[in-house]
Amino acid sequence: MKLPTYADVLAAAPVVHAYLKATPLYEWPALSRLLGCRYLLKHENHTPTTSFKVRGGIYLVSRLSDEQKRRGILGCTTGNHGQSLAYACRLFGVRCVLVVPAKSNPDKVAAMRALGAELIEHGRDFDEARIHCEAIRHAEGLRYVHSANEPDLIAGVGTYGLEIFDELPEPDVILAPVGLGSGICGTAIVAAARRPATRIIGVQSEMAPAVTLSWRAGRPIETEPPRTFAEGIATRMPADMTLEIMRQYVHDMVLVGDDELRAAIRLLLRVTHNLAEGAGAASTAAALRMREQLAGKTVVGVLSGGNLDLRELGRIVGQAG
């Protein structure tokens, strides 16, 4: 298994930046004051798909062989990975077939269809959809694109890590949400090369802790189907490649409750007027939980995406008091 390297992230940067502008890295004084540290948000919700994953999709699809581009690709997704592939396939004129869980976020489903993807709805959660996806992968000779076990995907999303260190050379801590871990792996690879002293900390929901448990145990652990509303981090088993990278480069993992995710969504909406999905709010939820450990430090929270189900948004805003 060939793991991506810092050189691979550097090679991805000119390709990704040919199609995407660097996303903002903003310090929000009200958040810094509340958290007792210098707190900056990396706004990956400011991409054309409102998620960091588009970076990986663009780089991977750009590097497909002519034969693979002619045949098309197949992926499994709860939404953001699928949007990234659909967006990239639209750029490069490639067929895109996506398998999604039957009760996926309808706004993400609509966005994937609008980008030209062909959708197959199957299963109760990501992993049931993934098993079905892998079972049909050879039916039409499509190139299967796993959402984590892909060096080019990780190299592509690692470009947001480059942007962080280009603008802020010495962060003390970077907090990143973890679904299967492509984003945190890309960032951790960059941090190891640019500033090894920077602590890279992953965040998951207590209701979907499989990767955290696996990271702590040093071996894959499968959990029950996730019950978190945050579908971007709702996985019940790790991916081999990203777990191996995380074991090498990630310093800690933190679990937060779904109520903490909802509170962080409300806080970000009130203070920054940015809409975060559950996964996108995970870094801020962790910063609130870790306030004492982060005091006085320079901290980056990755706001990984803003594709929140509007039905969930209504419930979250309705809880504001």
Side-chain angles (χ1 to χ4, degrees):
M1 182 166 56
K2 177 187 178 296
L3 300 181
T5 65
Y6 180 59
D8 294 326
V9 181
L10 291 176
V15 178
V16 171
H17 290 141
Y19 297 96
L20 301 177
K21 296 179 181 178
T23 56
L25 180 68
Y26 289 148
E27 179 178 4
W28 296 92
L31 293 179
S32 293
R33 203 160 46 240
L34 174 66
L35 293 167
C37 64
R38 186 184 179 202
Y39 189 68
L40 301 92
L41 286 174
K42 181 57 172 169
H43 281 281
E44 289 299 289
N45 59 316
H46 290 195
T47 71
T49 64
T50 327
S51 165
F52 76 97
K53 286 183 177 284
V54 69
R55 299 170 179 269
I58 287 173
Y59 189 55
L60 183 143
V61 175
S62 76
R63 285 170 52 81
L64 294 177
S65 68
D66 290 342
E67 176 64 15
Q68 289 171 333
K69 287 179 179 176
R70 186 186 68 78
R71 288 181 175 272
I73 65 169
L74 171 70
C76 178
T77 180
T78 59
N80 288 339
H81 173 58
Q83 287 185 75
S84 82
L85 295 180
Y87 185 91
C89 285
R90 190 178 187 185
L91 282 178
F92 295 104
V94 176
R95 183 187 178 202
C96 180
V97 180
L98 301 171
V99 181
V100 301
K103 294 184 178 179
S104 295
N105 179 333
D107 298 320
K108 290 183 177 180
V109 168
M112 288 183 277
R113 286 200 169 106
L115 289 167
E118 304 168 34
L119 266 59
I120 300 169
E121 299 186 42
H122 183 92
R124 295 171 299 168
D125 61 15
F126 171 80
D127 288 290
E128 285 192 0
R130 177 186 54 78
I131 291 167
H132 181 69
C133 181
E134 292 175 356
I136 65 173
R137 62 191 292 184
H138 300 299
E140 297 183 61
L142 300 171
R143 191 333 189 145
Y144 174 52
V145 181
H146 191 277
S147 59
N149 291 332
E150 295 280 358
D152 286 343
L153 274 186
I154 296 169
V157 299
T159 58
Y160 82 66
L162 290 178
E163 293 170 12
I164 291 172
F165 282 92
D166 285 347
E167 191 167 345
L168 186 73
E170 297 186 347
D172 295 308
V173 177
I174 298 177
L175 297 165
V178 176
L180 285 176
S182 63
I184 196 172
C185 286
T187 302
I189 288 167
V190 172
R194 297 284 286 269
R195 189 176 188 268
T198 298
R199 286 180 59 78
I200 307 298
I201 300 176
V203 190
Q204 287 202 295
S205 167
E206 293 171 344
M207 294 184 172
V211 177
T212 298
L213 297 177
S214 301
W215 179 86
R216 290 173 179 170
R219 59 181 175 82
I221 293 177
E222 182 176 355
T223 62
E224 295 298 316
R227 293 177 289 116
T228 177
F229 77 95
E231 71 270 8
I233 50 176
T235 50
R236 56 181 162 98
M237 63 179 67
D240 294 340
M241 180 175 292
T242 47
L243 182 60
E244 183 172 343
I245 296 169
M246 289 173 65
R247 291 286 300 170
Q248 290 184 40
Y249 296 118
V250 171
H251 298 92
D252 201 1
M253 294 289 293
V254 176
L255 295 174
V256 296
D258 271 24
D259 285 345
E260 291 175 280
L261 293 175
R262 293 185 177 99
I265 290 170
R266 285 195 299 273
L267 175 66
L268 292 168
L269 190 57
R270 176 169 58 84
V271 172
T272 76
H273 306 289
N274 277 262
L275 180 63
E277 60 187 274
S283 55
T284 299
L288 288 162
R289 175 172 279 214
M290 300 171 64
R291 205 175 317 189
E292 290 185 8
Q293 299 102 297
L294 300 178
K297 299 183 184 299
T298 298
V299 181
V300 175
V302 179
L303 203 173
S304 60
N307 293 305
L308 181 65
D309 188 329
L310 290 182
R311 297 168 299 183
E312 184 64 38
L313 175 61
R315 289 189 285 269
I316 291 170
V317 172
Q319 293 169 357

